[in-house]
Amino acid sequence: MTMTEQLDPAALQQRVRALESQAKEAQRAIDDLKSRDALKTQFLSNISHDLRTPLAAIITHAEILREGMLGELTPKQRDSVTGIVSGGQQLLDMIDEILTYVRTASDQVNLARSEFNITELVDQVRLLNQALAARKRLTIERLNGDNLPPIYADRDKIKHVLANLIGNAIKFTPEGGRVWVSFSRRGKKEDELVVEVGDNGRGIARDHFELVFREFAQVDASPSRPHHGTGLGLAIARKLVELHSGRIWVESELGKGSRFFFTLPLDIPRDQ
Amino acid sequence: MKTRILIVEDSPLVTDAFSVLFTEAGYDVDVAATVADAVERGSEKPVDVMLLDLSLPDGDGLEIMEALRQRACLPRATLAMTGHSDAKSRRSCLEAGCADVLVKPVPISELLRQIERHLA
């Protein structure tokens, strides 16, 4: 563009009009995408809810059979019915994960903050996972944290994050391995708490450090992959940590294990 | 006389499963799929335990509590059943007079135990 063209008022006006119309078009495209995204979210929410009801009925019927309420079962029949219950339960957990994701993704989540002791919460989640870990002869240790001050956060949401990270660690660590949780403090006033959930499992390649937090992403997405799931767990965890103004990341080496970290502010606002 | 249980739930799949469960467990079972239906059945004959789904086609399950209270027909114990556990909906159930709030699906052994506990 030459100087003369720049100063020509008619050309300038034309250029402004063109830009204005482009901006309008871009805005229309954004609005369209937003409404499509809202539709998708609504669809996921409805379908998850509608899948839940018949599944709950299937599980209840199977439990009635398993408990022998309709007559005693042979051991083989009982095993088979137990398979229906656990398969149904697994499916239900996945549906619940989709529902949680939909709620967090559409910002329908309000934090209900309170003061609580995070070490107690970690111990609670460890206890809940004890049976699962024992089946793989894994240990889940809490390495420190006895003297941490209380944190001010949404207890249920932080529990969800811990359950997800510890659950993943158990899932991706071979028999006889180790899973641990440890705490550290950082920042000028030591006002940031860093929670680490580590394992000595198979690890994650550096290229995938970001990918694992993306929704629907799985490092191994092939149909024959050994670990199935919705691929939403870490995306939900990230969203829940970010709602608390924290960060979440992973450090890992293939074959040696993974260490997932998330931060939470330690200062308790006194005016709330 | 048998303990009477009223299942308030709009999904026939779920009420069918519960009907089998509670009949086999020795209860007298009645079913309602709407707020209006539940209020009618709840005021007809005294109910010992009401299992209450919160979202019904014609309104909020907790409206039933208020209507039955006005008719002085509140069941001995009402157990609310919700799809997800959040502190707010739990509080509103307890404030409305529910004895407890259970997150669906409740394992049947747990459900039977809770009912026994609230009848004791």
Side-chain angles (χ1 to χ4, degrees):
Chain A
M1 199 182 280
T2 66
M3 283 300 281
T4 357
E5 274 170 339
Q6 266 182 25
L7 292 173
D8 179 354
L12 258 181
Q13 218 165 20
Q14 205 177 357
R15 186 91 187 109
V16 167
R17 269 200 299 271
L19 281 173
E20 274 172 357
S21 120
Q22 273 173 21
K24 263 188 204 155
E25 214 169 289
Q27 189 56 48
R28 260 200 303 273
I30 292 171
D31 291 346
D32 184 44
L33 280 175
K34 272 191 185 160
S35 77
R36 279 165 198 255
D37 188 52
L39 264 179
K40 180 207 74 184
T41 303
Q42 189 58 46
F43 168 76
L44 273 177
S45 169
N46 290 348
I47 197 84
S48 310
H49 185 265
D50 290 350
L51 286 171
R52 221 174 177 280
T53 304
L55 189 53
I58 292 173
I59 295 175
T60 303
H61 277 296
E63 282 182 324
I64 294 169
L65 281 174
R66 188 188 58 184
E67 298 304 312
M69 295 179 81
L70 302 178
E72 272 311 304
L73 300 184
T74 66
K76 278 184 183 171
Q77 286 169 336
R78 190 188 305 272
D79 282 353
S80 180
V81 174
T82 301
I84 300 177
V85 175
S86 13
Q89 199 60 54
Q90 205 176 327
L91 195 52
L92 198 66
D93 290 344
M94 285 164 64
I95 293 171
D96 283 347
E97 197 158 81
I98 296 175
L99 269 172
T100 308
Y101 166 73
V102 169
R103 286 200 196 99
T104 51
S106 58
D107 294 321
Q108 288 176 28
V109 179
N110 296 317
L111 294 184
R113 292 182 199 251
S114 63
E115 259 186 68
F116 65 92
N117 184 324
I118 192 165
T119 48
E120 275 176 24
L121 189 64
V122 166
D123 288 342
Q124 212 183 72
V125 178
R126 279 168 62 214
L127 201 68
L128 286 172
N129 282 284
Q130 210 63 61
L132 199 63
R135 238 177 280 160
K136 288 180 83 174
R137 294 185 297 108
L138 296 173
T139 55
I140 316 174
E141 296 164 90
R142 176 168 63 78
L143 303 183
N144 57 10
D146 285 333
N147 298 313
L148 279 180
I151 63 165
Y152 185 72
D154 186 319
R155 196 175 184 281
D156 286 345
K157 309 280 185 304
I158 299 303
K159 187 177 174 186
H160 192 104
V161 174
L162 286 166
N164 176 270
L165 296 180
I166 292 176
N168 274 350
I170 295 173
K171 197 160 150 188
F172 294 109
T173 302
E175 291 219 356
R178 266 184 77 217
V179 173
W180 66 87
V181 181
S182 79
F183 303 97
S184 56
R185 294 171 71 163
R186 65 180 197 190
K188 274 187 198 137
K189 296 180 198 159
E190 293 219 316
D191 54 0
E192 195 174 42
L193 176 70
V194 184
V195 185
E196 171 186 343
V197 177
D199 66 67
N200 63 354
R202 59 149 95 161
I204 299 165
R206 183 170 288 273
D207 293 355
H208 294 144
F209 284 6
E210 282 296 318
L211 176 84
V212 292
F213 293 103
R214 236 179 273 158
E215 40 280 88
F216 306 111
Q218 286 185 327
V219 171
D220 180 1
S222 66
S224 60
R225 67 194 192 276
H227 300 281
H228 289 261
T230 55
L232 290 173
L234 285 174
I236 295 171
R238 182 181 63 185
K239 187 80 185 179
L240 295 179
V241 168
E242 285 173 354
L243 278 170
H244 285 88
S245 314
R247 290 194 310 118
I248 187 167
W249 72 96
V250 63
E251 292 171 12
S252 177
E253 204 177 320
L254 270 180
K256 294 210 169 150
S258 304
R259 297 162 71 197
F260 281 85
F261 299 88
F262 66 93
T263 63
L264 289 171
L266 265 178
D267 53 329
I268 295 173
R270 290 294 161 197
D271 55 337
Q272 284 188 43
Chain B
M1 212 170 69
K2 275 188 183 177
T3 303
R4 184 163 183 254
I5 192 160
L6 175 62
I7 306 164
V8 186
E9 158 72 59
D10 64 329
S11 157
L13 283 172
V14 174
T15 48
D16 282 357
F18 279 166
S19 298
V20 174
L21 170 67
F22 295 123
T23 309
E24 291 302 321
Y27 294 98
D28 190 1
V29 181
D30 203 352
V31 171
T34 60
V35 171
D37 202 11
V39 173
E40 196 185 314
R41 280 163 201 273
S43 21
E44 251 168 30
K45 268 199 286 180
V47 172
D48 296 297
V49 180
M50 178 161 71
L51 282 186
L52 187 59
D53 179 20
L54 294 181
S55 67
L56 295 165
D58 59 340
D60 183 335
L62 293 181
E63 291 167 25
I64 300 167
M65 298 291 285
E66 189 46 41
L68 290 180
R69 182 177 290 115
Q70 281 173 15
R71 291 169 171 75
C73 300
L74 269 185
R76 277 167 66 197
T78 297
L79 300 173
M81 313 240 279
T82 77
H84 52 95
S85 61
D86 67 277
K88 205 172 127 201
S89 75
R90 189 180 165 80
R91 203 167 41 238
S92 57
C93 288
L94 296 179
E95 277 168 9
C98 296
D100 211 338
V101 185
L102 309 174
V103 180
K104 289 197 283 191
V106 193
I108 60 166
S109 51
E110 169 72 10
L111 190 56
L112 294 173
R113 195 166 47 239
Q114 288 284 353
I115 290 173
E116 285 303 317
R117 188 166 77 88
H118 287 290
L119 284 176

